Amino acid sequence: MSESAEKTRAVPAAGTGVPAPGRWLALAVLVLAVLLVAVDATVLGLATPFLSEDLRPSGTQLLWIGDVYSFVIAGLLVSMGSLGDRIGRKKLLLTGAVAFGAVSALNAYATSPELMIVARALLGIAGATLMPSTLALIRNIFHDPKERSLAVGIWGAMASAGAAVGPVVGGFLLGHFWWGSVFLINLPVMVVLVVVGIKLLPESRDPSPGPWDLGSVALSLIGIVGVVYTIKEAAAHGMRWDIAAAGVIGVLALLWFVRRQLRLPAPLLDMRLFHHRGFSGAVLADLLTILGLSGLVFFLSQFLQLVQGRGPLEAGLAELPAAVGAVTAGLLAGKVA
C-alpha cells in the first residue's frame, strides 16, 4: 500500500476534481467506516460476561473470541491494501462494507463458541478491506498537503476514538438488549456508508500494480497468527512442544515474508521503507499506542464490571475520557505534523 501510494503521487487520481464540500463529505464516509471497525475491536469487552454466560466458552475460546478479529485484520491489512490498488479502492471498500454488515448478523446470532470464533474471524477479513481503502482514498481525494494532514489527523482521531467509544456503545446496548445487539448496530451504519459512498467516493487504483502475490498473503497471515497464538497459549498453559512449534513456524513465515518482499519487483510491502527513521518511528509509535489502548480498554471493561460491580453503561461511561483524549490528540497531531 505504501509503495502504491508513492506511485499515485505522479498519477492524477479520480478524485482530483472533487470540490471542497464533496471532499469533506467523502471524508465523513471514510471516517464512518474506520470508526465502525475500531468500535468493533473493543465493543465486545463489556459483552464478554454476558456472552460467556450464554455460550459457555472455555478460557482459551474466550480469548480467541475477543482477539481473533484483530489478529485477522493485522494479518491481512497489507494484503488487502495491495488488492485495493489492483481492483479499485472504492470497489474494495464498498464490497467490504456489505460483507461487514452481513457477517455482523452472523456474529449476533452465533450459537456456539466455535461458530463465534469463525464469525469473528470473518468479520476481521471484512474489516481488513476497510482500513487500507480509507487511507488510500484520502490520499487520492486530498492533494493539498495541509488538507491531507488534517484529513489523516481526523482519520487517526476517529480510529482511536472508536476503540475508546466501543465500551460506551456496548454498555448502552447491553443495558437495553441482549449481547448480540453490539453487532447488529453495524447494519444501519453500513447501509448508510454504502448508499452515500456510491455517490460521493471517487474510484482510484494503481495504474501499474504488478501481480498480487498470494504467497506473500499466506506468509503474512501465518506468521502473525502463529506468533500471537504462541504468546497466548504459552501464557495460559505454559510452553509445550506444539505451542513452541507454532511459534517457530510463525517466526519463520515472517522471516520468509521479509525476504520475499525484498526480492519481488512489486512487493505487497516495500520493506526498504523501514530504513527511513521517520517511517519506522511512526510505525513503532503507532504499534505501542494501539497495544496500550486496546489492552487498557479490555482490562478496564472486565475490572469495572467484575471487580467493582458496575453496570455495563456505567462502566462504558467511566472509560469515556479515553475517547475525548484520543480525538483531541489525533486532531492536534495532524496540525503538528
Side-chain angles (χ1 to χ4, degrees):
M1 182 172 63
S2 300
E3 182 186 43
S4 61
E6 289 296 323
K7 292 179 181 178
T8 54
R9 293 178 190 272
V11 180
T16 302
V18 178
R23 289 199 297 275
W24 296 107
L25 286 174
L27 177 64
V29 175
L30 299 176
V31 163
L32 186 64
V34 73
L35 181 67
L36 200 57
V37 173
V39 166
D40 261 65
T42 57
V43 72
L44 195 61
L46 288 174
T48 298
F50 301 89
L51 184 150
S52 299
E53 183 179 352
D54 191 11
L55 300 184
R56 301 290 181 181
S58 65
T60 301
Q61 287 175 328
L62 187 60
L63 285 174
W64 278 108
I65 289 172
D67 294 340
V68 70
Y69 171 77
S70 299
F71 294 163
V72 173
I73 285 184
L76 291 177
L77 271 180
V78 173
S79 303
M80 290 302 180
S82 180
L83 180 62
D85 294 342
R86 287 155 175 78
I87 68 173
R89 291 129 185 174
K90 175 181 178 180
K91 181 184 297 183
L92 183 65
L93 176 68
L94 297 181
T95 302
V98 172
F100 198 91
V103 178
S104 293
L106 179 62
N107 278 260
Y109 294 104
T111 55
S112 68
E114 294 80 8
L115 179 58
M116 190 66 187
I117 293 171
V118 172
R120 288 284 286 171
L122 292 175
L123 196 66
I125 295 174
T129 68
L130 303 179
M131 297 289 280
S133 299
T134 54
L135 270 179
L137 285 168
I138 286 175
R139 176 64 187 83
N140 282 271
I141 292 171
F142 294 91
H143 293 269
D144 179 78
K146 291 184 178 180
E147 283 191 347
R148 188 188 313 122
S149 66
L150 177 59
V152 173
I154 293 172
W155 183 95
M158 291 303 102
S160 299
V165 167
V168 181
V169 175
F172 174 79
L173 293 173
L174 291 169
H176 298 81
F177 309 100
W178 100 112
W179 61 264
S181 61
V182 301
F183 297 107
L184 292 183
I185 192 64
N186 296 339
L187 298 179
V189 178
M190 282 302 174
V191 169
V192 173
L193 192 157
V194 171
V195 172
V196 178
I198 289 175
K199 296 183 178 181
L200 287 181
L201 295 178
E203 184 59 282
S204 69
R205 58 173 56 87
D206 190 333
S208 54
W212 198 53
D213 186 46
L214 291 176
S216 296
V217 174
L219 287 172
S220 65
L221 187 59
I222 292 171
I224 290 175
V225 173
V227 170
V228 174
Y229 173 82
T230 300
I231 295 173
K232 288 168 60 65
E233 291 297 302
H237 306 293
M239 186 61 71
R240 303 193 307 258
W241 72 267
D242 55 330
I243 297 174
V248 171
I249 292 173
V251 170
L252 291 177
L254 290 177
L255 292 174
W256 191 0
F257 173 82
V258 172
R259 290 176 59 86
R260 190 179 182 90
Q261 302 316 296
L262 293 173
R263 293 197 305 265
L264 288 174
L268 291 184
L269 177 63
D270 186 357
M271 303 304 299
R272 294 175 181 83
L273 288 171
F274 289 93
H275 289 306
H276 300 286
R277 287 185 298 175
F279 180 84
S280 299
V283 170
L284 179 61
D286 193 36
L287 172 65
L288 295 176
T289 300
I290 295 300
L291 282 175
L293 178 63
S294 300
L296 183 64
V297 168
F298 182 81
F299 168 78
L300 284 177
S301 297
Q302 310 308 306
F303 177 79
L304 293 171
Q305 291 183 98
L306 302 179
V307 178
Q308 294 192 346
R310 299 174 186 246
L313 180 57
E314 185 184 0
L317 290 174
E319 299 177 39
L320 191 58
V324 177
V327 172
T328 304
L331 295 176
L332 290 177
K335 288 187 175 296
V336 171

